[in-house]
Amino acid sequence: MANFGNPAYTAAVGNAGGMMILAAAGVGLADAIGDGIAAARQARYEGRYNDALSTAIGHAGDMEALARTAMEMLAELEGENNRLRAACRQRQDVIDILKARGA
C-alpha cells in the first residue's frame, strides 16, 4: 500500500474527524444565519402588518364618526322636510278654501 508511511496521508486521516466537526459547525452556522434572517424578515412583516391594522382601525373609527354625523344631519333634514310638507298642506288648504268661497 502506497499510503503507509506517507506523512500527508497520516495527517489527513488524523484530521478527518476535526474537519468533519468543522464542516458540521459551518452548516449549523449557515442554518442559524438563515434562521436569523427569516426571523428578522418575519418581524418586519409583522411590524408592517400591525401598523397597517392600526391605521385601518383608526380609519374605521373616523368613518364611524362621519356616518353618525351624517345620520344626525339626515334626521334633521327629514324633520325639516316634514315641517315644510305640513306648511305646504296648510297653504294648499287655505287656497282651496278661498277658491271655494269665490266660486
Side-chain angles (χ1 to χ4, degrees), residues 12 19 24 29 33 40 45 54 57 91 93-95:
M19 289 190 298
L29 178 63
I33 290 171
Y45 171 80
S54 295
I57 289 170
R91 185 174 187 164
D93 290 344
V94 169
I95 293 170

Side-chain angles (χ1 to χ4, degrees), residues 16-56:
M19 289 190 298
M20 287 190 306
I21 291 172
L22 288 175
V27 170
L29 178 63
D31 285 344
I33 290 171
D35 291 346
I37 291 171
R41 183 181 311 122
Q42 182 66 24
R44 284 192 306 272
Y45 171 80
E46 288 175 2
R48 288 192 308 267
Y49 177 82
N50 289 336
D51 289 344
L53 183 60
S54 295
T55 301

